[in-house]
Amino acid sequence: MTVLDTRTLNRATLARQLLLDRADLPVRDAVAHLCGLQAQEPQEPFVGLWSRLRAFEPAALSDLLTGRLLVRTILMRRTVHLLTAEDALAWRARHDAMLRQRMLGTYRRELDGVDLDELLAAGRAVMADGEPRTMGEIGRAVAERWPAPGPRVLGEMLVAALIPMVQLPPRGLWRTKAGVRNALLSSWLGREIDPPAANGSDPVGEALVRRYLAAYGPAASADLRAWCGLAGLPGAVAAVRPELVSFRDERGRELLDLPDAPRPDPGTPAPVRFLPAFDNAILGYHDRGRIIDDAHRGLSVAGARVVLVDGRVRATWTVEDGTVAVTPLGHLSGADRDAVGEQGRALAAFLSDGDSHRVRIGDG
């Protein structure tokens, strides 16, 4: 079986993630291809798409949110993701059990004695009038019936696990600060979520396998689980395996992939790219060694914004008074510093509507 080294996997990841060459895709198509963008920090998807699309206009993303073609909802890994409306409706039921389990893993003691089906019914009754509410408002509305857990726990259980919700605009719009107001996903989109398959098959799981590999492959089953948070996908992997090709990584893990998906030559040049906090190009794997060194792995879960140089995480970045401030994680060559500076100036201009082209690169 062919062994794919780390650099080969890196170039494949960059190609699938639209980071090797910026793509000429509409925003909606890019979000669909990427299987969503992690979005608990509302402004971060704008940078993620700017780094991936050749002619990205922030207004296009904002318009898709207000037009109900994209939604912000809690799904993969129980985190907020920006998804197409179609994917949110198709995938939500498949994530129900995982969302409940993860919430109970945090609040099992507080929710002891609470019948979750009764809590679900009570929460739906609260939301039946169609009015958007904060998590706290929802929790307080049912807390009289279940006083022990308290409004915060009840509200989080309802919003993050039991009831399919969306976070309504203006949260997530370009340069807009707004709190979270929740509405029923079905009410916002005018359609109920797709029910689980009645015959015991798993078409959604199989679709997730194919879609994940298109955007992240070649990858191991453990990487797939790390991305979506779903443990119950062996059956889906087995069902689509005849369609797939297999490789090994340098650790001996089996990697699966779509036969015709891009796997560029490992010598393909990789341009500098600035990634937002919690970008799935890093978080979408159990083994993140293809893109980030183990010594810096903690950055990916701490919300650090990172810079890819030659396809790997080599610096972090922030914005200070209109200046993109880059902190190298080690030595950068003169050519690399020049390339980081050029891309940093472009990012500063994007974030400021051309008012600033300032970048500051620290010592490595």
Side-chain angles (χ1 to χ4, degrees):
M1 190 179 294
T2 302
V3 175
L4 302 181
D5 63 21
T6 299
R7 188 175 175 89
T8 300
L9 292 175
N10 174 268
R11 291 314 192 251
T13 292
L14 297 180
R16 312 291 174 90
Q17 285 287 306
L18 314 181
L19 293 167
L20 199 57
D21 293 300
R22 282 186 166 95
D24 290 314
L25 284 177
V27 170
R28 187 181 180 187
D29 292 352
V31 173
H33 168 74
L34 296 166
C35 304
L37 287 87
Q38 189 145 333
Q40 65 263 47
E41 297 293 337
Q43 294 297 300
E44 299 302 298
F46 290 94
V47 174
L49 290 168
W50 173 82
S51 289
R52 289 172 163 93
L53 300 181
R54 189 163 285 117
F56 174 63
E57 292 292 339
L61 173 52
S62 293
D63 289 347
L64 288 167
L65 281 166
T66 57
R68 310 188 187 198
L69 298 174
L70 297 180
V71 296
R72 294 171 47 83
T73 188
I74 295 174
L75 202 65
M76 285 80 81
R77 305 188 301 275
R78 209 194 78 191
T79 55
V80 179
H81 271 71
L82 177 73
L83 295 162
T84 67
E86 293 83 358
D87 285 344
L89 290 166
W91 295 353
R92 181 52 169 82
R94 188 60 178 81
H95 288 73
D96 276 353
M98 178 272 292
L99 295 171
R100 287 191 180 210
Q101 290 164 3
R102 291 203 172 197
M103 281 300 301
L104 288 173
T106 302
Y107 295 126
R108 188 175 302 276
R109 180 181 301 175
E110 290 87 342
L111 292 166
D112 183 42
V114 176
D115 185 306
L116 296 185
D117 290 335
E118 292 182 5
L119 177 59
L120 166 59
R124 282 197 171 276
V126 171
M127 301 300 297
D129 61 5
E131 290 297 316
R133 290 176 172 84
T134 67
M135 186 181 293
E137 289 170 341
I138 297 168
R140 287 190 293 274
V142 300
E144 184 175 347
R145 183 170 175 184
W146 293 281
R152 182 180 63 82
V153 172
L154 293 170
E156 188 173 349
M157 188 71 194
L158 286 165
V159 170
L162 296 183
I163 303 178
M165 298 272 202
V166 292
Q167 295 185 356
L168 296 188
R171 188 162 180 86
L173 302 185
W174 179 235
R175 292 184 180 154
T176 301
K177 292 184 177 181
V180 177
R181 298 180 308 130
N182 302 283
L184 297 177
L185 177 63
S186 57
S187 297
W188 181 246
L189 296 181
R191 191 186 118 191
E192 294 296 327
I193 66 170
D194 296 348
N199 61 1
S201 64
D202 189 10
V204 174
E206 293 169 21
L208 284 170
V209 173
R210 297 186 188 97
R211 295 276 299 277
Y212 173 77
L213 291 176
Y216 295 86
S221 294
D223 297 318
L224 170 64
R225 289 195 301 271
W227 166 70
C228 63
L230 299 174
L233 285 174
V237 172
V240 303
R241 183 178 282 273
E243 308 170 18
L244 308 178
V245 292
S246 299
F247 304 96
R248 297 277 180 193
D249 66 12
E250 292 175 306
R251 294 169 48 195
R253 299 190 314 160
E254 183 187 34
L255 306 176
L256 301 174
D257 204 6
L258 302 173
D260 298 325
R263 290 179 288 275
D265 185 283
T268 303
V272 167
R273 292 288 185 257
F274 282 69
L275 296 187
F278 305 113
D279 196 282
N280 274 345
I282 301 173
L283 293 185
Y285 299 95
H286 173 70
D287 182 357
R288 299 168 187 163
R290 67 180 67 194
I291 199 167
I292 188 169
D293 295 343
D294 285 345
H296 303 135
R297 181 183 173 102
L299 294 172
S300 60
V301 295
R305 298 160 164 171
V306 300
V307 184
L308 302 183
V309 178
D310 192 27
R312 298 191 63 81
V313 174
R314 297 286 305 280
T316 61
W317 67 276
T318 59
V319 179
E320 303 169 5
D321 298 324
T323 299
V324 172
V326 178
T327 303
L329 297 172
H331 175 71
L332 294 178
S333 69
D336 287 340
R337 292 177 71 89
D338 289 345
V340 170
E342 179 182 2
Q343 196 65 198
R345 285 188 288 275
L347 176 59
F350 167 73
L351 294 173
S352 68
D353 281 341
D355 288 343
S356 171
H357 293 78
R358 297 188 301 273
V359 61
R360 183 177 67 250
I361 304 174
D363 296 329

